[in-house]
Amino acid sequence: MTTIDARPTTDPLLAALGLRPVINVAGSVSRLGGTTLAPEVREAMAAAATSFIPMVELQAWASEAIAEATGAEAGCVASGAAACLFLASAACLARLDPGVMDRLPDTAGIPNEIAVHRAHRNPYDHAIRAAGATFVEFGYLGPANPGTRRWQLEAVLSERTVAVFYPGAVTAGVLPLAEVADIARARGLPVIVDAAEMVPPVSNLRHFIAEGADLVAHSGGKAVGGPAASGFLAGRRDLILSASAQQQDMYVRPASWPGPQGGDSRDALPDPPQQPIGRIAKVGREEIVGLVVALRRYLAADHGARRARWASLGEQIRGAVNGVGGAAAAVFEDHDVAIVEIAVPGGPTAAARVIARLRERDPRVWAGEEFVDQGAIAINVQHLRDDEVEIVIEQLRHALAAG
Ligand SMILES: *Cc1c(COP(=O)(O)O)cnc(C)c1O
């Protein structure tokens, strides 16, 4: 399963359209389009694109695949992990009340608070607030943070609280997820986890549900290998049904509506809302089908072989560029992926110049800027194809030698 989808770096069709692809050594980033799609994912999307399927049936089908992959009761697909966080927030605000669904994001006079560690605030939390929720923070930040205590969370929970938000990335000084989930569960409050970039390892598909999270948002277009405009929400069935109902086309007759996900889901919400707020997180059937095929493929992949290939690519690049122009290269691993950190003499200015040079060359090599302030460039090998390795090495050696 480690075969690389061989394509010329300069695609003739894109060239004819006047578009210039880049070689991605920045990782699964949305600004470059997420990830590339395997042939079976593309074929499934093409088949979906030329047929019509009722979206309720598609979401019910995806729900089963997501439940199987994550250990959650149910799931739904939206246009990204951010869209899933937005739907999760809307689901916690409205639960199965069509009256609340109908007024979001207006939450005046109704419970709308989501508790969050101060240390967990991050730029993606716009997605949570956009549904009408307000964050209530607890715990401290900074070098003197002694670590968060249970009573600090308990103190901010009240009848105005609808959920607790907990980003999955390792964060210093926060309460463990399992403890947060215990505290929340005792008050009937769901915990929303942002796991957008938490795979690999593949075990993180199940980890947050197993720790007690009620709704977990994953990106489809990062390591899972699905369409860039896809993400999936896994979690408790009643909350997933709320999220799903708030997202779908609701010009339906209540009498013939099958519920948000068919089957007995109509019992949970017999009178549907009308084009509620989640509609802006709409997803196409191509994305749903592509995401599910990618997810199954990801589960079946040989993760050890992938990791070994990445490690060997990292070592190959490190060996080829170390010392060029005085650069010092080292490899580290982040979420199983090898990243070559190349420190250049001359500090941040020189590092920024090397990155700019790589983007000027043909084909353009797009490296990450996350270490520029430390005077280094980062080469993430996750999306590097076999036929691109030599090009990247040559371009790097050229750019480093030029200083
Ligand atoms: C990428 C990312 C998101 C957004 O995911 P999309 O699938 O691009 O919408 C949210 N949170 C974190 C931590 C991310 O890394």
Side-chain angles (χ1 to χ4, degrees), residues 30 80-83 85 124 194 196-197 219-220 222 230:
S30 294
L85 291 174
Y124 289 107
D194 177 357
E197 55 171 357
S219 277
K222 293 179 179 167
S230 74

Side-chain angles (χ1 to χ4, degrees), residues 82-83 85-86 89 121-133 135 165:
L85 291 174
F86 170 69
S89 179
R121 292 301 306 269
N122 75 89
Y124 289 107
D125 63 32
H126 289 95
I128 300 270
R129 291 185 295 116
F135 279 123
F165 176 51

Side-chain angles (χ1 to χ4, degrees), residues 127-355:
I128 300 270
R129 291 185 295 116
T134 299
F135 279 123
V136 176
E137 300 177 348
F138 63 96
Y140 290 102
L141 291 173
N145 178 5
T148 312
R149 304 284 299 279
R150 194 182 173 96
W151 52 261
Q152 288 175 307
L153 169 55
E154 282 167 341
V156 299
L157 301 177
S158 73
E159 70 289 346
R160 295 185 302 278
T161 316
V162 297
V164 183
F165 176 51
Y166 195 100
V170 174
T171 308
V174 298
L175 291 167
L177 173 59
E179 190 171 354
V180 169
D182 269 353
I183 296 167
R185 194 177 307 111
R187 296 170 185 246
L189 294 170
V191 176
I192 303 171
V193 168
D194 177 357
E197 55 171 357
M198 297 311 289
V199 290
V202 65
S203 55
N204 272 349
L205 286 175
R206 308 186 84 88
H207 172 74
F208 302 101
I209 294 290
E211 291 287 292
D214 298 279
L215 285 170
V216 182
H218 293 273
S219 277
K222 293 179 179 167
V224 167
S230 74
F232 56 101
L233 189 62
R236 231 170 69 191
R237 187 152 188 271
D238 59 324
L239 295 168
I240 291 291
L241 293 181
S242 172
S244 216
Q246 293 189 73
Q247 182 193 21
Q248 294 176 25
D249 176 2
M250 286 296 173
Y251 283 141
V252 292
R253 280 187 71 236
S256 61
W257 185 53
Q261 292 199 351
D264 64 358
S265 71
R266 197 174 174 280
D267 299 344
L269 188 60
D271 203 349
Q274 297 171 338
Q275 309 298 6
I277 193 171
R279 178 63 193 267
I280 61 179
K282 169 174 162 173
V283 71
R285 62 204 188 287
E286 300 87 345
E287 280 75 27
I288 297 176
V289 169
L291 182 270
V292 169
V293 172
L295 186 56
R296 288 182 177 155
R297 188 174 178 274
Y298 183 67
L299 287 168
D302 182 343
H303 297 281
R306 282 186 166 188
R307 189 174 174 189
R309 175 178 175 269
W310 288 329
S312 128
L313 285 177
E315 200 41 52
Q316 187 184 347
I317 294 171
R318 189 203 63 77
V321 304
N322 192 39
V324 178
V331 183
F332 69 94
E333 203 176 60
D334 182 27
H335 286 273
D336 285 4
V337 180
I339 297 177
V340 191
E341 185 177 350
I342 309 170
V344 298
T349 317
R353 202 161 50 226
V354 170
I355 289 173

Side-chain angles (χ1 to χ4, degrees), residues 92-112:
C92 293
L93 287 161
R95 301 284 184 116
L96 289 162
D97 182 340
V100 176
M101 293 178 187
D102 204 34
R103 55 179 284 191
L104 294 182
D106 170 11
T107 54
I110 59 170
N112 71 344

